[in-house]
Amino acid sequence: MLLIIGFGIGMVAVNVGLGDDDARSQAKQFANLSAMVADEAVINQQPWGIDIFRTNDAPANNGSNDEVFAYRWLQRVYWTPSEESNEQPRWLWLPVAPKEIEAELFFSSQLTLRLEMESIELEIGQKVPVEKKPENQKIEIKPDIYFWGNGEITPFKVQFYSRNNEQLLHTVSGDLLGRIALDLADDE
């Protein structure tokens, strides 16, 4: 059931103009998909994570160079190199999309995001590109938010602001016990 809801929400398109309904639907999508991935981690006893980043390569940019915020799903996997490689086996976080969900999801260019962990605002960095071969990955990809198989998640707060006037629109938060909440600005 949760996967069906997540799939439906995952189909929400990113619009160039941002109305209140667009910001609300994008915040709801992020909250619902995060809850779905948290459940997936528990069901399969496999750690998952969310990498939140800034990028200029959003499909909805239509050739413009506007920077947008986006996120992708990461899964913790044990990587074993080929026999001819000098690399050692190790745990890696690799981008993997849950079933029926896009690998990367982009927020509207009219939104600005802020990420807080333990009441400290963290800088949302540029997207780390993924190399085809893990041994060529010079910059390690790490989640901003971790979802563990025991149901715990990294306590977080993602705030959605209007880019134009820096007005707080919505907040998605998660606590250590795996509860994810969506606070809508107009208390809906």
Side-chain angles (χ1 to χ4, degrees), residues 4 13 21 36 55 71-72 96 98 103 109 114 117 142 178 185:
I4 294 168
D21 289 340
M36 186 188 74
T55 184
Y71 58 105
R72 61 184 167 187
V96 177
S109 61
R114 293 189 184 147
M117 302 282 186
K142 292 183 182 178

Side-chain angles (χ1 to χ4, degrees), residues 30 34 48-54 69-75 93-94 107 113-118 120-128 140-148 152-158 174:
F30 180 78
S34 296
W48 282 83
I50 298 177
D51 176 26
I52 302 172
F53 56 89
R54 295 178 287 123
F69 289 87
Y71 58 105
R72 61 184 167 187
W73 310 104
L74 303 177
Q75 193 170 37
W93 287 96
L94 298 175
F107 294 105
L113 269 59
R114 293 189 184 147
L115 174 62
E116 284 185 18
M117 302 282 186
E118 299 180 4
I120 299 171
E121 186 174 335
L122 302 177
E123 180 181 349
I124 297 175
Q126 289 288 325
K127 177 182 178 180
V128 174
E140 187 177 4
I141 301 171
K142 292 183 182 178
D144 294 301
I145 303 167
Y146 294 83
F147 301 94
W148 299 104
E152 293 180 2
I153 65 173
T154 307
F156 71 92
K157 185 186 292 185
V158 177

Side-chain angles (χ1 to χ4, degrees), residues 56-114:
N56 297 80
D57 64 0
N61 270 358
N62 297 327
S64 77
N65 205 21
D66 291 340
E67 185 174 75
V68 297
F69 289 87
Y71 58 105
R72 61 184 167 187
W73 310 104
L74 303 177
Q75 193 170 37
R76 189 169 179 243
V77 297
Y78 192 73
W79 174 74
T80 306
S82 62
E83 291 181 15
E84 59 271 359
S85 174
N86 293 335
E87 294 285 324
Q88 294 296 314
R90 62 184 181 271
W91 287 99
L92 296 173
W93 287 96
L94 298 175
V96 177
K99 290 180 182 178
E100 309 296 330
I101 304 295
E102 294 290 324
E104 292 182 355
L105 296 157
F106 300 89
F107 294 105
S108 166
S109 61
Q110 303 302 309
L111 283 175
T112 297
L113 269 59
R114 293 189 184 147

